[in-house]
């Protein structure tokens, strides 16, 4: 079973601060996806990274895929209360058989 | 707006009952998935289907079965519910390609007493 380790598990910071969340594995994935989940809802896709070394930006969020396609990071600049949620990374196994999810990072941005 | 709809947001059942969780998607997606989400364990894949009447076991299929009689509908069945099946159940769908995004429903919080 391919495992994805996310760190930190919990993070609570003040509005305006920067933060980085990590997603690591010993396995190579064809792609990595990042989702955000809010209470009472299902996860919603933020971004997919496919190429080793790829960097994608989504407003204040920057996603990076490691050169070896085993790890990824999510960096948030000037965090806002609306960024609060559970952030999940997920690796594609290949084929049609779904994704392997990390356990997630619970992020709380305090006003 | 595209949608994955799960029939119940909250469900309370007794040990030993047969439980059906229903999921419908309106995006004509081939792939459908059932995950359960537990604190500290994340999302774990129970079953998935890539076509009508096709099903494949995920990582934790024990105690569950599924049915996919129509493309848009994927049902998760707990033949005899047990307390360790208390969990949040999430249904998702996607197009067939490997890197396609998953569209999730809002989840069903199942409590087995």
């Amino acid at each position: 079973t391919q495992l994805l380790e996310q760190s930190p598990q919990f993070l609570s910071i003040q509005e305006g601060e920067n933060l980085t969340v990590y997603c690591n594995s010993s396995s190579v994935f064809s792609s990595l996806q990042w989702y955000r989940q809010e209470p009472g809802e299902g996860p919603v896709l933020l971004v997919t990274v496919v190429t080793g070394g790829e960097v994608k930006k989504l407003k204040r969020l920057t996603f990076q895929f490691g050169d070896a396609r085993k790890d990824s990071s999510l960096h948030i600049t000037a965090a806002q209360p609306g960024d609060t949620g559970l952030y999940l990374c997920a690796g594609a196994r290949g084929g049609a058989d779904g994704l392997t999810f990390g356990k997630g990072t619970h992020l709380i941005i305090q006003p | 707006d595209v949608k994955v709809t799960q029939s119940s947001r909250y469900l309370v059942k007794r040990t030993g009952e047969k439980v059906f969780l229903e999921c419908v998607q309106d995006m004509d997606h081939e792939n459908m998935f059932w995950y359960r989400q537990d604190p500290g364990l994340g999302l774990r894949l129970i079953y998935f289907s890539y076509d009508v009447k096709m099903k494949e076991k995920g990582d934790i299929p024990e105690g569950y079965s599924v049915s996919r009689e129509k493309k848009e509908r994927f049902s998760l069945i707990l033949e005899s519910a047990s307390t360790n099946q208390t969990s949040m159940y999430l249904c998702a769908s996607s197009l067939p390609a490997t890197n396609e995004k998953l569209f999730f429903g809002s989840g069903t919080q199942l409590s087995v007493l």
Side-chain angles (χ1 to χ4, degrees):
Chain A
T1 303
Q2 297 169 305
L3 295 176
L4 280 167
E5 301 286 341
Q6 285 190 245
S7 61
Q9 191 175 356
F10 296 96
L11 185 59
S12 178
I13 62 172
Q14 295 295 126
E15 181 177 1
E17 294 185 28
N18 302 331
L19 66 106
T20 303
V21 173
Y22 299 93
C23 175
N24 297 301
S25 176
S26 58
S27 302
V28 175
F29 290 93
S30 60
S31 67
L32 267 174
Q33 298 180 357
W34 284 92
Y35 290 79
R36 181 169 70 206
Q37 184 179 18
E38 298 186 17
E41 297 297 329
V44 176
L45 181 71
L46 295 173
V47 78
T48 302
V49 285
V50 179
T51 306
E54 182 177 4
V55 176
K56 280 192 174 178
K57 292 194 174 187
L58 188 67
K59 295 183 181 178
R60 293 175 295 99
L61 278 61
T62 302
F63 304 85
Q64 185 161 8
F65 201 11
D67 291 339
R69 292 186 290 126
K70 293 182 179 181
D71 54 82
S72 182
S73 63
L74 159 59
H75 182 78
I76 302 179
T77 304
Q80 299 178 2
D83 296 326
T84 293
L86 175 65
Y87 288 80
L88 296 159
C89 68
R93 307 173 182 210
D97 56 350
L99 300 171
T100 296
F101 281 84
K103 295 179 182 180
T105 294
H106 292 267
L107 177 62
I108 297 173
I109 310 300
Q110 301 186 33
Chain B
D1 200 12
V2 295
K3 264 193 129 172
V4 177
T5 303
Q6 294 184 231
S7 54
S8 304
R9 290 298 294 264
Y10 301 95
L11 214 49
V12 180
K13 296 293 181 181
R14 297 241 176 243
T15 302
E17 279 193 73
K18 190 169 185 176
V19 181
F20 293 87
L21 302 183
E22 305 288 347
C23 176
V24 177
Q25 49 97 3
D26 64 359
M27 294 167 282
D28 202 34
H29 283 170
E30 284 79 2
N31 298 344
M32 295 190 75
F33 308 87
W34 276 106
Y35 287 88
R36 63 177 283 177
Q37 184 174 28
D38 301 286
L41 297 176
L43 273 77
R44 293 179 291 167
L45 182 63
I46 305 171
Y47 266 97
F48 63 97
S49 168
Y50 52 86
D51 202 352
V52 176
K53 297 194 184 293
M54 304 300 289
K55 60 183 179 183
E56 295 289 340
K57 293 180 179 179
D59 297 318
I60 52 164
E62 296 78 18
Y64 303 94
S65 62
V66 291
S67 173
R68 187 131 182 237
E69 296 296 318
K70 293 184 178 181
K71 189 176 185 180
E72 67 270 19
R73 186 179 297 269
F74 193 35
S75 302
L76 180 68
I77 303 155
L78 287 66
E79 294 289 341
S80 178
S82 62
T83 55
N84 63 13
Q85 292 178 310
T86 291
S87 186
M88 169 67 80
Y89 289 88
L90 289 163
C91 174
S93 72
S94 76
L95 291 169
T98 299
N99 298 327
E100 287 295 331
K101 66 184 284 186
L102 293 184
F103 291 85
F104 282 90
S106 297
T108 296
Q109 179 62 54
L110 172 67
S111 296
V112 182
L113 306 179

